[in-house]
Amino acid sequence: MVRRRIAIGLGGAFLLAAIGFAAASWRPALAPGGPTPAETAPEQVRKGAVLASLGYCASCHTAEDGRPYAGGRGVGTPFGTIYATNITPDPETGIGRYTLAAFTRAMREGVDREGRHLYPAFPYTHYAGLTDPDVAALYAFAMTREPVRAEAKANALPFPFSWRPLLAGWKLLFFREPNIPADPRRDAAWHRGAYLAEALSHCGACHSPRNLLGAEVRTKAYSGGEADGWWVPPLDRSSPAPLPWGEADLTRYLAEWDPLHGGAAGPMRPVVEAHRTVPADEIRALASYVATLYGRGPAGSRTGPVDRAMPADDPAFARGAATYAGACAVCHESGGGAAGGVPYTTSSLGHRTTLRAPDPRNLILVLRDGIAPREHAPGPIMPAYGTTLTPDQTTDLAAYLRARFSPDGPWPRLGETVRDLMRQAPRPGARAESAP
């Protein structure tokens, strides 16, 4: 009898918990509609275009060789692949039936018009800090794009991650409105940059570590992370950058490339490309705020640029040095001007954070895919060596570069990482620049 009562009590508690969870996770569908003429006024659309570039919306919501904002791009996560949705105003497959209220709920709460919870690969955890006027401007921009009929791809997520109601529990645990810093000692540009970095541009989404459930670790904000298979450098004092980042350096880097630090690579590259249509004042504001982040967090071990002599009796270093001499030295040794209009004297590998990183992936990916400036623009150029260097040659070269240009020890499991990444063919038309 006692056991039966315990079982009934536990069953009832479970049932109540299930009902409570269902109630907490349920969100109503919102009535279909569309924008009013006032909501898509030309000045609103122009403002929204700038904001969309600062949030680099197209980089996630446009598939390779796809129509702008029509979705289909896969975002890799530790739990599987999530495919970006169509955010053109197509009424059947896009957001053409979204009212401003439905759009606002999606942006700030991560719930679509039908009431489904959205995966936090869509950074609503940052967009929750957007102002009403900025959400309205983004709505105006989105609803005036060319409608594209494009069905959303099914996410490649195993159970239980494919069960969306679980996201309600995730939100209860981790979803908090972002804290937009305010400092009376700082000017208006810095405060504008803080708003952009913490909300619209969601910098911490990539530059912060995540826990086992995919939530940003707020106590370690800007201490580094990863995105799309790339190591993402810290933006705080733990940065291994051999040269300090100042506001002017960051302004140049975020707009195109900086002569000493280099330019954007991997998932950061679309961000910089999106900035081409952004007013210079916005870039300077973002740089003003980010420059101050380097004074936060634990101190790093920056020692300045390094260029050390290598032991002549080490066969691996000798092989790496030979590859470097044949493939790299003509551009990366000082003494003149390099292809793409970049002087040798400013392209020293001793300046690169890539070689001081705790992870070799960025270097290997740049060696594999090469470097190219955007069309009709000056910038560094490097061939893709993914099909010309063997994994062993790439390993020897990476080990040589690390030993020569970094005071840190060798990368662990370098050969294994090289073989894993070089197994993939260079991406067609891959565009990268020397990583920050």
Side-chain angles (χ1 to χ4, degrees):
M1 181 66 69
V2 172
R3 290 180 180 177
R4 183 180 178 186
R5 288 176 179 175
I6 292 174
I8 292 173
L10 290 174
F14 179 80
L15 179 61
L16 288 174
I19 293 172
F21 179 78
S25 64
W26 181 79
R27 293 292 184 274
L30 299 181
T36 65
E39 289 173 335
T40 55
E43 62 273 16
Q44 280 286 81
V45 175
R46 287 191 293 269
K47 178 182 176 181
V50 172
L51 296 175
S53 292
L54 284 165
Y56 39 97
C57 306
S59 67
C60 282
H61 287 279
T62 304
E64 187 174 355
D65 300 322
R67 302 280 292 278
Y69 300 102
R73 179 179 181 271
V75 179
T77 76
F79 314 102
T81 302
I82 297 172
Y83 289 93
T85 54
N86 180 352
I87 59 169
T88 73
D90 178 71
E92 301 298 330
T93 63
I95 60 170
R97 294 177 178 167
Y98 274 57
T99 61
L100 176 56
F103 184 83
T104 301
R105 185 173 75 167
M107 293 290 287
R108 289 203 180 127
E109 300 178 33
V111 178
D112 70 8
R113 190 187 69 79
E114 289 78 13
R116 295 174 300 184
H117 290 279
L118 301 176
Y119 288 97
F122 176 62
Y124 53 82
T125 53
H126 289 268
Y127 293 160
L130 291 173
T131 64
D132 289 343
D134 281 357
V135 173
L138 286 164
Y139 177 70
F141 175 77
M143 299 304 281
T144 53
R145 299 308 88 202
E146 179 186 359
V148 178
R149 183 174 179 80
E151 294 284 351
K153 290 186 178 181
N155 295 324
L157 296 171
F159 185 83
F161 305 116
S162 58
W163 194 51
R164 285 182 184 267
L166 278 182
L167 291 169
W170 186 93
K171 289 177 179 179
L172 287 173
L173 291 173
F174 304 116
F175 185 15
R176 305 290 183 273
E177 186 173 323
N179 176 36
I180 311 297
D183 187 340
R185 298 169 300 176
R186 304 289 184 178
D187 61 15
W190 184 91
H191 284 91
R192 174 63 175 171
Y195 169 73
L196 293 175
E198 301 295 342
L200 182 60
S201 297
H202 55 282
C203 303
C206 289
H207 287 277
S208 299
R210 293 179 179 269
N211 63 23
L212 292 176
L213 294 179
E216 290 176 45
V217 182
R218 297 294 180 97
T219 57
K220 297 182 179 179
Y222 298 110
S223 62
E226 68 173 75
D228 290 345
W230 290 69
W231 171 77
V232 180
L235 299 182
D236 62 10
R237 292 177 66 202
S238 65
S239 168
L243 296 174
W245 282 93
E247 182 177 334
D249 307 309
L250 285 163
T251 299
R252 288 188 293 265
Y253 171 81
L254 291 170
E256 187 62 50
W257 62 280
D258 179 67
L260 290 178
H261 293 89
M268 187 65 188
R269 179 63 184 179
V271 176
V272 172
E273 290 189 342
H275 287 167
R276 286 184 290 161
T277 58
V278 171
D281 286 349
E282 298 280 46
I283 303 300
R284 283 193 291 269
L286 189 56
S288 173
Y289 175 70
V290 173
T292 63
L293 295 176
Y294 285 96
R296 302 179 188 176
S301 56
R302 184 183 296 120
T303 59
V306 170
D307 189 345
R308 302 186 297 182
M310 294 291 96
D313 59 348
D314 188 308
F317 284 153
R319 293 191 301 267
T323 301
Y324 175 80
C328 315
V330 67
C331 289
H332 286 289
E333 297 292 335
S334 61
V342 181
Y344 291 147
T345 51
T346 63
S347 57
S348 168
L349 294 176
H351 295 164
R352 298 295 184 259
T353 307
T354 302
L355 294 174
R356 303 286 280 274
D359 189 309
R361 285 177 294 172
N362 292 12
L363 172 63
I364 299 165
L365 290 168
V366 169
L367 288 171
R368 187 191 74 181
D369 295 338
I371 295 170
R374 61 182 174 85
E375 292 184 32
H376 312 301
I381 299 172
M382 190 181 98
Y385 292 110
T387 56
T388 56
L389 293 180
T390 67
D392 287 343
Q393 288 175 314
T394 303
T395 300
D396 288 339
L397 174 59
Y400 169 80
L401 294 174
R402 172 73 163 181
R404 177 176 169 183
F405 295 107
S406 171
D408 304 303
W411 279 307
R413 300 185 298 278
L414 175 61
E416 178 184 338
T417 305
V418 169
R419 286 190 294 274
D420 182 51
L421 294 178
M422 296 292 281
R423 201 175 291 128
Q424 308 169 35
R427 297 190 297 273
R431 295 163 60 85
E433 289 196 11
S434 47

